[in-house]
Amino acid sequence: MIEGLESVPLLVAADLPAGWQMPDASPIDPERDSPAIDAALRYEQWVDPAPGLDRRLNSSHNNTDSGRWFLIQHTESSTRVLLRLQRQYLLDEEPKGEVRITGIVYLPEWAGDPVASPMLRNLPTSRIEAAINRRQFAVTGASRFEGGTMTMPSGRVLRSADVMKPLGNPKRTPDFYEVVALQHTRLVDDGEPNPTARMAELSRVPLSTAQGWVARARRKGLLPPGRRGRAG
């Protein structure tokens, strides 16, 4: 586990896209109420890990004890949604605690009203997860450029415009893996379907070299873990 990661809040208001908010006076306290909600839904009874396997490291069934429920609200319709957030661990990787949405409960504005089908289709789960994990695995704790610049761990000032330049030599470039993470994140934000391949093109290196850079950035906690079945 990355040092200090467990103390980072699972969800903050800034993680939500436009049109969604965390109610100021939420009736749900994630730490206090989540175990009772899990129990009421019999959530934990569906966990069936393989015999002798630590379920915290089972890629199919993660430990339900770490799940937390948060209440968010759609500002236009007043529909409330309970999101269950949980760190995920993979069997063959050092746990790095990527946060995923593992449960959803819809609550219309008025009790008894139907849930509108567009609301079911349009809940921005991927955007919420991406925002959470970008914050959890931020390059410097605050991966935002202010005034077009960012001060890197070495003390050098990086311009936003320089993020997409060739990355150079890892042994000679200060903050090399921090810049790898920033470039990868920029490409993901721009909708690049295979950001690592694009990074290889920008730096004129073999794809395997860029893949090694990104993997090292992930191991250093600068990027969220990669997901199986996804390019880049």
Side-chain angles (χ1 to χ4, degrees), residues 34-151:
S34 293
I37 295 174
D38 277 349
L41 297 175
R42 298 186 178 180
Y43 193 92
E44 74 285 354
Q45 294 188 14
W46 295 97
V47 176
D48 184 22
L53 183 64
D54 185 345
R55 67 181 182 178
R56 290 175 299 176
L57 301 180
N58 186 332
S59 60
S60 297
H61 301 288
N62 278 265
N63 183 11
T64 59
D65 294 344
S66 64
R68 295 293 180 268
W69 290 92
F70 292 82
L71 186 68
I72 67 174
Q73 187 170 35
H74 187 242
T75 53
E76 183 177 350
S77 68
S78 295
T79 296
R80 293 168 297 161
V81 179
L82 271 175
L83 293 181
R84 188 180 191 277
L85 302 177
Q86 182 176 343
R87 299 190 190 281
Q88 298 286 284
Y89 303 96
L90 297 177
L91 185 61
D92 58 351
E93 293 182 0
E94 179 186 351
K96 292 181 175 64
E98 184 187 26
V99 176
R100 301 289 301 277
I101 295 173
T102 59
I104 298 172
V105 176
Y106 286 85
L107 301 167
E109 179 182 12
W110 299 103
D113 281 359
V115 174
S117 56
M119 182 63 63
L120 294 173
R121 293 193 300 267
N122 296 329
L123 180 68
T125 53
S126 295
R127 291 172 63 189
I128 293 172
E129 286 182 346
I132 292 171
N133 286 299
R134 184 176 299 119
R135 174 175 53 81
Q136 301 263 328
F137 291 84
V139 172
T140 62
S143 57
R144 296 179 180 177
F145 288 89
E146 298 196 7
T149 64
M150 176 191 293
T151 301

Side-chain angles (χ1 to χ4, degrees), residues 11-27:
L11 184 70
V12 298
D15 296 330
L16 301 178
W20 291 86
Q21 64 182 3
M22 296 178 72
D24 290 335
S26 175

